[in-house]
């Protein structure tokens, strides 16, 4: 066990599968069955051996694991792009190169290796933000090598609508998030102060959570359609039975529970001695809330906010089912057309967005004054 | 007889226990006293191999404990800890039956043993036995912890600050009870405490530990009268030395012929209790139950080494 | 905890499943003129059972695997995987259920299997997280006592650690089951049989009566199951 640890040994399995299974699939057209292509076949044996060497070096127990794993992930992604271009050279114009099982397994192994190496270093919040920025920059560079990978071809075919849906997705997630924070925090404070309200409010919010998202989105069509038809100016303001309005309201409703729960939990966790001391020093109730209770409860409230933002980014995909747009549009189109690349075009940015939101929020929480990492 | 032979436990540069050798006579109580971080708890846990030593070994009645699986060794050694560690999901009776069950005793033998132990610790088997730990008082939990450790008639009882969680009033009573039980059963006990007074009151021999080493190993009287190092002297303390010394002597040892007036002293009293009674009743001498008397002069003579 | 609201809910649900006609007046205002009020392409009872079977089929193996993994990473043999498993559970939540579902379709095709796999994967995280938390929350003195009394590692696990960790693990299973009941509805997008079918049919035919009956049925199932779990874990504590 001097040269390898258990993690490296276990992750070697998917990595070996990454070499043994098809690295990419070449399809004569968008929805045809793929023809498997192996890594050595695409790049030749010497190049494949070189790649294997870097991967093995990253698996070995060494202080260089972090940089090696980072290099291996970036390299693995670049290989797919380069390989796709090679395969596309001798293929008909409508041919598509999509990632194969080998690529995915290898990627998972290398990303897990990288995640482990990072987790063990316990980077400080600022370092985590810097790492996120660096990841985005590297991805942007690597994606330039991907013009012939099918996902990017789907992207190229609908560049304009992609960014429009991206905007709608972010607007849905952030808009409902902001509304939930603005409404949820005061609601949390209110029910913390009026215990009589606590149970009924929590019961209603919990019941909302149990309604499946597609049903809640659908059910809101009716009341909002009524508002659009009967409230003057509502339609002009963009409120309608179909589209963004019911999605925004549904996401807002789902978001309330975590925000309210965490606001109450945060306020409850303020040590009674601290509250008492604030009272003893003559702080008025409002001053106590703003200067003592809220700052102390903030990390817990922000954790609730983080949960909500990540959850809303994911749930916003459902909005596509009722015409609210967002990345879900591509996911459901892709499902309808049995086009995996289109599914990926919707799913991957959603995951990336949620991931980035989590990293940024976690770092912000850790950066709050008085927090020890 | 239990033997600790050159036991050491090192964590990197830290020598938690450093070359400790002790022997514990069968039927005797040995207390390990030290400040926190002195390695006393580590030493205790080396004995039942909750921690494996870096060097050295333990013998249990002549048998090298390295030669048996750790879990089998632990079933032969009772273990009492400060927070009792009672299993919260089991009743008191089931808790006490832990080791006998692990050893596969027959059911009725276990039931009889549990009942016997509850009685021994003055707990009512009918009412306390079926209760769950969270329904007990602190003192009851402590006694159940002791009963569980004694259940399978262990060859050695290890106790790590067994009275640490009790308030001072309960602690005195629990200490007296333990000494009585130990004398009835003839148990061999190795006990860890930070309280020198407790060690002196309870044990036949005291080992004073500091920084992983034993500074002095001797009878309570020796520790009180001839502390080997400045550290031991500090731990014993300057105050009340005479009273502690007297507390080691049974009043009957100082009895003389003759009679005295006043309330008679019980035969189990210590010399320190006798002196207390004399001062309180402002008497020159007090009668001893069953004949004889104790005089103030005899007590003053005995109050120093 | 009062039991009667749950019992009323259960009775109402059974009445609806067995005699849906009784509820027509309630739902009729939501249905378009002339359209059916009660979903008629399949029996609601059989769809409800299929829905439950889907969730159970995913949650039972997910619970077993997640608890086993949670125990494994806390043993010496699995310690090497603890930091990574924390990262994966932390960031696993960032994968939205739709994405997980959609991404399993290319591998497994349409039907029940991708939904089952997605629900399984999505169910692992809360159970695993709670298993880890439950084992970390064991009172150290009790763990020490279990070792000190001479239990073998296996005896410690089965007789002491697992029984004490169970209520918290059950809370994780409850969370995962409620999420999974709701996520299973999305499975109908990829043709898994369940109550999602009713909701999707309602969305595509603009029949909100379908959306309401499907959605409310799932919500009631979730509330009843959550209550059941709460009852069970209260009994274990």
């Amino acid at each position: 066990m001097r040269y390898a640890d258990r993690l490296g040994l276990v992750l070697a399995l998917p990595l070996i599968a990454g070499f043994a299974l098809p690295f990419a699939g070449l399809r004569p057209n968008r929805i045809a069955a793929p023809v498997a292509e192996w890594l050595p076949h695409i790049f030749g044996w010497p190049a494949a051996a070189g790649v294997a060497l870097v991967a093995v070096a990253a698996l070995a127990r060494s202080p260089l694991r972090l940089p090696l794993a980072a290099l291996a992930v970036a390299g693995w992604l670049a290989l797919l792009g380069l390989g796709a271009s090679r395969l596309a050279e001798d293929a008909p114009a409508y041919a598509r190169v999509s990632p194969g099982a080998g690529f995915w397994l290898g990627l998972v192994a290398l990303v897990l290796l990288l995640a482990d190496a990072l987790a063990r270093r316990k980077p400080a919040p600022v370092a985590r933000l810097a790492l996120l920025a660096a990841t985005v920059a590297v991805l942007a560079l690597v994606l330039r090598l991907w013009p012939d990978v099918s996902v990017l071809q789907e992207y190229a075919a609908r560049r304009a609508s992609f960014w429009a849906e991206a905007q709608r997705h972010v607007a849905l997630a952030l808009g409902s998030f902001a509304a939930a924070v603005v409404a949820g925090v005061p609601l949390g404070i209110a029910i913390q102060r009026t215990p009589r309200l606590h149970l009924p409010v929590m019961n209603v919010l919990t019941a909302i959570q149990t309604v499946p998202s597609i049903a809640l989105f659908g059910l809101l069509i009716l009341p909002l359609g009524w508002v659009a038809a009967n409230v003057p100016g509502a339609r002009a303001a963009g409120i309608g039975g179909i589209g963004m309005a019911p999605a925004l309201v549904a996401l807002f409703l789902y978001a309330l529970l975590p925000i309210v729960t965490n606001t109450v939990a945060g306020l409850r966790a303020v040590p009674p001695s601290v509250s008492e001391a604030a009272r003893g020093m003559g702080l008025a109730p409002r001053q106590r809330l703003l200067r003592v209770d809220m700052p102390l409860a903030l990390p817990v409230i922000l954790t609730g906010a983080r949960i909500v933002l990540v959850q809303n980014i994911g749930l916003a995909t459902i909005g596509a089912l009722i015409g609210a747009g967002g990345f879900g549009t591509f996911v459901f189109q892709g499902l309808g057309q049995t086009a995996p690349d289109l599914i990926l075009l919707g799913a991957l940015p959603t995951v990336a967005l949620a991931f980035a939101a989590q990293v940024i929020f976690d770092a912000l929480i850790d950066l709050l004054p008085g927090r020890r990492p | 007889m239990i033997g600790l032979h050159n036991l050491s436990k090192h964590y990197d540069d830290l020598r938690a226990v450093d070359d400790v050798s002790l022997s514990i006579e069968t039927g005797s109580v040995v207390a390990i006293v030290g400040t926190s971080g002195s390695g006393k708890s580590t030493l205790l846990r080396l004995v039942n191999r909750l921690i494996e030593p870096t060097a050295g070994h333990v013998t249990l009645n002549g048998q090298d404990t390295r030669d048996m699986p750790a879990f089998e060794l632990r079933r032969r050694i009772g273990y009492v800890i400060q927070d009792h560690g009672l299993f919260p999901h089991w009743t008191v009776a089931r808790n006490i039956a832990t080791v006998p069950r692990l050893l596969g005793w027959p059911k009725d033998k276990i039931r009889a043993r549990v009942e016997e132990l509850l009685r021994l610790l003055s707990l009512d088997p009918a009412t306390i036995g079926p209760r769950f730990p969270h329904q007990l008082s602190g003192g009851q939990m402590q006694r159940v912890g002791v009963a569980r450790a004694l259940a399978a008639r262990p060859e050695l009882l290890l106790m790590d600050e067994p009275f640490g969680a009790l308030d001072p009033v309960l602690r005195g009573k629990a200490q007296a009870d333990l000494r009585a039980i130990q004398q009835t059963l003839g148990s061999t006990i190795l006990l860890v405490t930070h309280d020198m007074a407790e060690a002196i009151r309870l044990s036949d021999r005291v080992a004073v530990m500091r920084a992983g080493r034993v500074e002095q190993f001797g009878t309570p009287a020796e520790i009180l009268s001839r502390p080997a190092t400045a550290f031991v002297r500090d731990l014993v303390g300057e105050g009340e030395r005479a009273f502690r010394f007297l507390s080691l002597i049974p009043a009957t040892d100082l009895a003389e012929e003759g009679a005295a007036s006043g309330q008679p002293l019980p035969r189990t009293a210590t010399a320190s209790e006798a002196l207390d009674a004399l001062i309180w009743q402002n008497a020159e001498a007090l009668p001893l139950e069953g004949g004889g008397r104790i005089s103030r002069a005899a007590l003053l003579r005995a109050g120093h080494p | 905890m009062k039991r009667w609201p749950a019992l009323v809910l259960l009775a109402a649900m059974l009445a609806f499943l067995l005699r849906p006609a009784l509820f027509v007046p309630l739902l009729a205002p939501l249905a378009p003129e002339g359209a059916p009020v009660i979903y008629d392409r399949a029996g609601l009872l059989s769809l409800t059972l299929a829905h439950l079977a889907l969730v159970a089929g995913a949650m039972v193996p997910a619970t077993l695997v997640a608890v086993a993994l949670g125990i494994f990473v806390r043993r010496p043999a699995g310690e090497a995987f603890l930091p990574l498993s924390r990262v994966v559970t932390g960031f696993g939540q960032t994968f939205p259920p739709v994405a997980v579902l959609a991404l399993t379709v290319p591998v497994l095709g349409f039907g029940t299997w991708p939904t089952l796999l997605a629900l399984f994967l999505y169910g692992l995280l809360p159970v695993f997280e709670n298993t880890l938390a439950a084992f970390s929350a064991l009172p150290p003195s009790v763990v020490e006592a279990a070792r000190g009394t001479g239990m073998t590692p296996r005896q410690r696990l089965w007789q002491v650690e697992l029984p004490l960790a169970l209520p918290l693990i059950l809370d994780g299973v409850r969370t995962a089951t409620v999420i999974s009941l709701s996520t299973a509805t999305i499975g109908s997008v990829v043709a898994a049989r369940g109550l999602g079918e009713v909701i999707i049919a309602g969305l595509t035919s603009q029949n909100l009566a379908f959306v309401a009956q499907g959605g409310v049925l799932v919500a009631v199932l979730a509330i009843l199951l959550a209550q059941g779990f709460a009852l069970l874990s209260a009994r274990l504590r």
Side-chain angles (χ1 to χ4, degrees):
Chain A
M1 298 299 268
R2 251 176 78 197
Y3 302 108
D5 53 12
R6 282 163 191 271
L7 184 79
L9 288 176
V10 169
L11 288 182
L13 291 175
L15 198 56
I16 290 168
F19 285 95
L21 292 173
F23 185 72
L26 180 66
R27 288 176 299 173
N29 60 55
R30 185 162 165 244
I31 52 174
V35 179
E37 297 284 351
W38 277 264
L39 197 61
H41 179 240
I42 305 172
F43 292 102
W45 283 100
V51 175
L53 207 65
V54 176
V56 168
L59 285 177
R61 182 205 289 270
S62 87
L64 290 178
R65 178 174 272 182
L66 181 57
L68 279 173
L71 188 70
V73 171
W76 194 254
L77 292 171
L79 272 184
L80 182 70
L82 296 173
S85 299
R86 275 195 185 207
L87 292 170
E89 266 173 29
D90 331 309
Y94 288 107
R96 298 264 178 151
V97 182
S98 50
F103 168 78
W104 290 119
L105 280 173
L107 186 65
V108 166
L110 293 173
V111 166
L112 287 179
L113 197 65
L114 180 60
D116 179 66
L118 270 175
R120 283 171 196 271
R121 298 259 175 123
K122 299 196 175 67
V126 178
R128 298 205 298 266
L129 291 176
L131 278 168
L132 180 67
T135 309
V136 171
V138 170
L139 270 182
L141 281 178
V142 166
L143 288 183
R144 285 172 175 274
L145 296 173
W146 276 32
D148 294 308
V149 177
S150 52
V151 183
L152 277 217
Q153 286 181 327
E154 295 285 357
Y155 165 70
R158 52 197 96 211
R159 192 184 303 255
S161 70
F162 179 85
W163 290 108
E165 298 301 356
Q167 249 177 7
R168 289 164 77 89
H169 199 102
V170 171
L172 275 175
L174 280 183
S176 56
F177 165 75
V181 172
V182 169
V185 172
L187 184 59
I189 295 172
I191 64 173
Q192 152 73 5
R193 300 188 152 200
T194 338
R196 201 162 36 84
L197 287 177
H198 186 260
L199 198 63
V201 170
M202 286 313 222
N203 278 344
V204 170
L205 294 182
T206 312
I208 291 175
Q209 296 269 321
T210 63
V211 180
S213 43
I214 53 173
L216 188 59
F217 280 66
L219 288 175
L220 286 167
I221 292 174
L222 198 67
L224 288 167
W226 185 85
V227 169
N230 293 289
V231 176
R235 195 174 289 280
I239 294 175
I242 311 203
M244 281 192 56
L248 268 174
V249 175
L251 292 176
F252 164 78
L253 289 175
Y254 278 127
L256 276 179
L257 182 70
I259 299 260
V260 173
T261 311
N262 279 42
T263 304
V264 173
L267 288 173
R268 279 200 181 152
V270 174
S273 60
V274 173
S275 266
E276 195 71 1
R279 220 160 62 151
M281 285 186 296
L283 268 73
R286 173 182 293 270
Q287 288 172 318
R288 229 168 7 156
L289 180 70
L290 291 179
R291 296 194 194 164
V292 180
D293 292 353
M294 284 305 281
L296 286 172
L298 200 58
V300 184
I301 298 177
L302 283 182
T303 306
R306 189 257 286 156
I307 295 171
V308 160
L309 186 57
V310 169
Q311 173 187 301
N312 277 10
I313 290 173
L315 275 178
T317 42
I318 307 281
L321 279 181
I322 52 160
F327 288 128
T329 314
F330 303 124
V331 174
F332 290 113
Q333 272 177 18
L335 281 171
Q337 302 171 10
T338 342
D341 302 320
L342 198 50
I343 298 178
L344 285 176
L345 184 66
L348 292 182
T350 312
V351 172
L353 215 53
F355 179 86
Q358 171 137 338
V359 172
I360 292 171
F361 244 87
D362 276 346
L364 288 183
I365 294 170
D366 283 348
L367 278 174
L368 287 177
R371 291 274 287 185
R372 248 163 261 282
Chain B
M1 167 130 140
I2 291 51
L4 280 57
H5 308 280
N6 308 98
L7 276 180
S8 290
K9 180 67 193 180
H10 299 172
Y11 297 99
D12 298 326
D13 288 342
L14 175 76
R15 302 180 161 210
V17 172
D18 195 15
D19 195 24
V20 170
S21 298
L22 290 177
S23 62
I24 304 151
E25 299 290 333
T26 303
S28 75
V29 181
V30 170
I32 307 169
V33 189
T35 48
S36 59
S38 61
K40 55 189 193 299
S41 286
T42 309
L43 180 64
L44 193 78
R45 302 169 72 198
L46 288 172
V47 175
N48 64 355
R49 287 177 56 195
L50 283 173
I51 302 174
E52 294 288 349
T54 313
H57 68 282
V58 177
T59 51
L60 185 62
N61 297 325
Q63 206 180 348
D64 190 332
T65 58
R66 288 173 299 186
D67 296 341
M68 54 188 105
F71 65 89
E72 263 175 33
L73 170 70
R74 292 183 200 136
R75 290 171 190 179
R76 292 168 56 180
I77 298 180
Y79 186 48
V80 180
I81 50 182
Q82 175 171 350
D83 296 324
H84 326 306
L86 298 180
F87 302 124
H89 58 310
W90 287 350
T91 61
V92 166
R94 176 82 173 79
N95 261 288
I96 297 176
T98 305
V99 184
R101 284 179 68 125
L102 291 174
L103 292 171
W105 286 18
K107 275 215 171 99
D108 21 333
K109 189 177 162 196
I110 295 179
R111 197 172 318 123
R113 178 67 179 155
V114 168
E115 219 161 279
E116 179 187 351
L117 280 165
L118 281 168
R119 289 232 169 74
L120 179 71
L121 286 144
S122 22
L123 297 165
D124 178 27
T127 55
I128 304 289
R131 285 201 196 157
F132 284 91
H134 67 90
Q135 300 167 308
L136 303 180
S137 70
Q140 288 171 328
M141 282 198 254
Q142 195 270 341
R143 276 179 278 166
V144 174
V146 174
R148 181 175 67 183
L150 289 171
R153 301 195 173 83
E155 291 154 71
L156 169 67
L157 191 59
L158 300 178
M159 308 182 97
D160 193 350
E161 301 275 5
F163 311 113
L166 301 182
D167 62 55
V169 178
L170 281 176
R171 191 178 306 169
K173 165 92 169 71
Q175 286 167 347
D177 288 349
L178 178 70
R179 192 69 212 199
I181 288 167
Q182 189 266 335
Q183 272 156 5
T184 339
L185 301 178
S187 323
T188 314
I189 298 178
L190 181 60
L191 172 130
V192 157
T193 176
H194 65 270
D195 178 0
M196 183 59 98
E198 181 170 286
I200 286 171
R201 196 169 314 140
L202 285 176
S203 57
D204 301 304
R205 310 195 106 211
V206 177
V208 181
M209 271 190 86
R210 182 195 186 192
R213 300 189 74 99
V214 171
E215 296 240 325
Q216 188 173 5
F217 184 44
T219 62
E222 280 166 7
I223 300 280
L224 282 176
S225 56
R226 293 190 297 280
T229 63
F231 177 76
V232 178
R233 193 177 307 124
D234 283 350
L235 214 57
V236 171
E238 304 273 314
E240 300 187 5
R241 259 185 304 184
F243 293 96
R244 289 196 194 165
F245 200 74
L246 283 174
S247 75
L248 297 171
I249 304 168
T252 48
D253 282 13
L254 306 176
E256 47 196 67
E257 296 289 310
S261 60
Q263 200 177 346
L265 290 162
R267 293 197 75 81
T268 52
T270 64
S272 128
E273 285 159 350
L275 181 60
D276 180 74
L278 269 156
I279 296 171
W280 195 247
Q281 298 178 29
N282 195 19
E284 273 301 319
L286 282 175
L288 203 54
E289 267 178 358
R293 62 173 201 161
I294 306 246
S295 70
R296 185 180 284 186
L299 284 168
L300 294 182
R301 263 198 313 279
H304 54 90
Chain C
M1 190 165 35
K2 276 185 233 159
R3 299 251 182 98
W4 65 263
L7 291 176
V8 169
L9 218 50
L10 179 66
M13 184 182 76
L14 289 177
F16 180 67
L17 289 178
L18 298 171
R19 291 273 178 281
L22 292 177
F23 291 78
V24 167
L26 207 62
L27 288 165
L30 291 174
E33 285 290 327
V37 175
I38 302 292
Y39 188 68
D40 50 3
R41 270 167 271 178
L44 284 172
L45 182 61
S46 91
L47 284 179
T48 304
L49 292 177
H51 199 90
L52 285 174
L54 199 59
V55 170
M59 281 314 300
V60 170
T63 302
L64 294 178
V65 171
V67 172
L69 282 178
I71 291 168
F72 172 70
V73 296
R74 293 192 58 83
R75 308 262 127 186
E79 254 175 354
F81 301 95
L82 187 58
L84 181 61
S85 62
R86 284 191 197 279
V87 175
V88 171
T89 41
F91 282 103
Q93 253 89 319
T94 64
F95 276 80
V98 190
V100 176
L101 188 67
L103 292 178
T104 45
V105 169
V107 187
L108 293 171
F110 281 84
T112 305
W113 289 108
T115 311
L116 217 46
L117 179 67
L119 293 183
F120 168 78
L121 290 175
Y122 221 67
L124 286 176
L125 299 178
V127 183
F128 178 81
E129 219 173 4
N130 274 43
T131 306
L132 277 191
F135 276 86
S136 318
L138 293 175
S141 68
V142 171
V143 178
E144 167 104 350
R147 292 183 67 206
T149 50
M151 292 188 187
T152 61
R154 187 180 295 255
Q155 286 167 333
R156 267 189 340 249
L157 178 65
W158 286 103
Q159 300 189 21
V160 178
E161 295 171 354
L162 215 46
L164 290 177
L166 207 54
L168 212 54
I169 296 179
L170 266 183
D171 285 349
V173 178
R174 183 189 57 190
T175 311
T177 307
V178 170
I179 295 175
S180 150
L181 274 168
S182 165
T183 310
T185 55
I186 306 173
S188 298
V189 177
V190 299
R193 221 173 108 77
L195 289 169
E197 195 179 311
V198 184
I199 300 168
I200 303 271
L203 286 179
T204 48
S205 67
Q206 309 269 321
N207 186 341
L208 287 184
F210 287 0
V211 178
Q213 59 198 265
V216 171
L217 266 177
V218 175
V220 169
L221 283 180
I223 291 169
L224 288 177
L225 274 178
Q227 290 267 333
F229 274 113
L231 220 61
L232 194 62
S233 102
R235 186 163 287 189
L236 285 172
R237 266 175 230 266

